[in-house]
Amino acid sequence: MPVSWFRLAAAAAATFVLAYMAFAARLPLERLMPFFRAFADTLFDALPFLLAGSFVSAVLETLVPDRLVQRLAPGGKAGGILFGSLLGIALPICECGMIPVVRRLIRKGLPSFVGVTYMAAGPIVNPVVFASTLTALGVRSDLAYARFALALAVSAVLGVLIAWAMRGRSPLRADRGPGQGGSAFRGHDHGDGLALGGAIGLSTNAGQPDAHRLRSGSSANRAKLWRDRGAHIVAHAAEDLWDTGKFLIAGCLLTAFLQTALQPGQLAEAAGHNVLPHLFMMGLAFALSLCSTADAFVAASFGHYVPQGALLSFLVFGPMFDLKGMLMMLSVFKGRFVLLFGLLAAWLVLVGSVLVERMGWL
């Protein structure tokens, strides 16, 4: 039987956790509490956004027709990338809930490069994150505006490069049946259909609203139709939560280990000068896997250790690609695509933040 990404992630998380626990076994309980607190903080910070993203994804699948998504998406690459870059303002979702929504939009006909652009920019340009960044940075408001601008620029270039590299191929993994490591909810194929949907008598075309039934049916029939759709939304949300939630837990375990094993203050002092602080802060953002609504408060604490450009690297790269998000992406996207996305995002953020710093814009 092939080894799934979840088994690999779970094995890696278990190895790290067991090694850490073995090292700390002779320590008093209070020395272990930081690890459990870090795990709980990361998990409960991310879980509400994952739930919200799964719910939005399920609503899109059940109530939004495929043809509507295809009609709203701009046809040209330039318009599509601009649309994807700014979509986060209208549809503000944290990076933890972004992945199931992007998968659903791509499956309903949104061009993949538009979805990828939205996935890169959305967690940073959404109004909630922008407001929290302004609050955390206080007098350094120029850093908040630079974060917004660099995220738009990086996501646009990233969308162009992904569109060229993929050449129309889908970045999504193929659906797998229950016997192949896929979601236990999948039992038949109607795009993203669920066995649960079939079991409760839902149409396999539940994503396409039956306007005639709504207009001409009796009130009892209309009530039954909306009950069926409600059940379908719950079933799809459960599927998305199952697909990505297990990777979220594995990512939170690894993140908690790194948060408690590393000493960020000492590492920042040893990071050196020139480009090294940028690389260090990007690596730290990847390891800590902070939510984009809270990472600016952590970045502010490094203001005395690293230059402003390195803080910008931390604030832009983390929401685009971190450890927790990478594991969740691997449950949805092909491994080659995830590797390409991460390398391109790292390179573009590094070049952009160094350029902003050298030009004296911070």
Side-chain angles (χ1 to χ4, degrees):
M1 185 175 66
V3 179
S4 69
W5 280 109
F6 173 63
R7 292 188 178 94
L8 290 175
T15 300
F16 276 112
V17 172
L18 289 175
Y20 182 78
M21 295 296 288
F23 170 76
R26 291 170 291 180
L27 298 177
L29 182 60
E30 57 269 17
R31 295 288 297 275
L32 300 178
M33 290 308 295
F35 171 80
F36 295 112
R37 276 199 299 268
F39 170 72
D41 288 346
T42 306
L43 179 63
F44 289 113
D45 280 347
L47 191 57
F49 296 100
L50 179 59
L51 288 169
S54 298
F55 177 75
V56 171
S57 170
V59 170
L60 288 172
E61 169 63 20
T62 305
L63 301 181
V64 178
D66 294 2
R67 61 182 179 275
L68 177 61
V69 175
Q70 295 163 7
R71 188 167 65 247
L72 291 178
K77 282 188 171 58
I81 289 171
L82 180 63
F83 176 80
S85 299
L86 299 177
L87 185 59
I89 299 176
L91 191 60
I93 301 175
C94 176
E95 67 270 19
C96 304
M98 184 72 66
I99 294 171
V101 173
V102 170
R103 175 177 64 174
R104 197 74 68 182
L105 287 172
I106 292 175
R107 285 180 172 172
K108 293 184 81 67
L110 187 74
S112 58
F113 67 90
V114 178
V116 169
T117 305
Y118 170 51
M119 185 169 63
I124 302 174
V125 304
N126 85 64
V128 176
V129 171
F130 185 69
S132 70
T133 305
L134 281 175
T135 302
L137 297 177
V139 296
R140 294 192 293 255
S141 59
D142 54 342
L143 186 56
Y145 292 106
R147 181 190 198 187
F148 186 91
L150 183 59
L152 287 177
V154 167
S155 61
V157 177
L158 184 62
V160 172
L161 295 176
I162 290 292
W164 175 80
M166 298 302 294
R167 291 183 174 88
R169 298 188 301 270
S170 174
L172 299 177
R173 288 183 175 275
D175 281 343
R176 293 169 296 174
Q180 298 174 304
S183 171
F185 295 109
R186 293 190 183 103
H188 57 86
D189 182 16
H190 60 89
D192 239 358
L194 307 179
L196 180 56
I200 60 177
L202 294 180
S203 167
T204 57
N205 199 27
Q208 313 295 333
D210 189 343
H212 177 72
R213 285 178 62 192
L214 284 175
R215 287 194 301 267
S216 61
S218 65
S219 58
N221 288 336
R222 287 196 296 268
K224 182 180 183 302
L225 177 62
W226 283 109
R227 282 197 304 270
D228 288 348
R229 287 177 175 175
H232 207 84
I233 288 173
V234 171
H236 275 294
E239 177 194 20
D240 283 331
L241 191 61
W242 169 257
D243 282 346
T244 55
K246 52 194 178 185
F247 290 88
L248 173 66
I249 293 173
C252 290
L253 285 171
L254 289 171
T255 299
F257 168 78
L258 292 171
Q259 286 183 4
T260 52
L262 297 176
Q263 298 296 324
Q266 297 175 5
L267 290 175
E269 290 175 353
H273 303 285
N274 298 323
V275 77
L276 289 181
H278 294 263
L279 293 172
F280 163 74
M281 293 303 290
M282 290 169 64
L284 190 64
F286 177 83
L288 295 182
S289 301
L290 299 169
C291 180
S292 59
T293 57
D295 59 356
F297 294 93
V298 176
S301 66
F302 283 91
H304 300 295
Y305 298 105
V306 296
Q308 297 290 290
L311 293 181
L312 181 61
S313 301
F314 177 90
L315 290 170
V316 176
F317 182 67
M320 287 188 180
F321 194 74
D322 59 20
L323 176 61
K324 166 171 52 65
M326 181 188 72
L327 293 176
M328 295 171 67
M329 287 178 70
L330 287 170
S331 70
V332 171
F333 297 101
K334 298 173 183 175
R336 284 186 178 181
F337 169 80
V338 175
L339 177 62
L340 177 66
F341 180 91
L343 291 176
L344 287 177
W347 177 68
L348 291 171
V349 170
L350 178 63
V351 171
S353 59
V354 170
L355 179 63
V356 168
E357 186 178 69
R358 297 288 172 84
M359 296 297 291
W361 294 337
L362 283 177

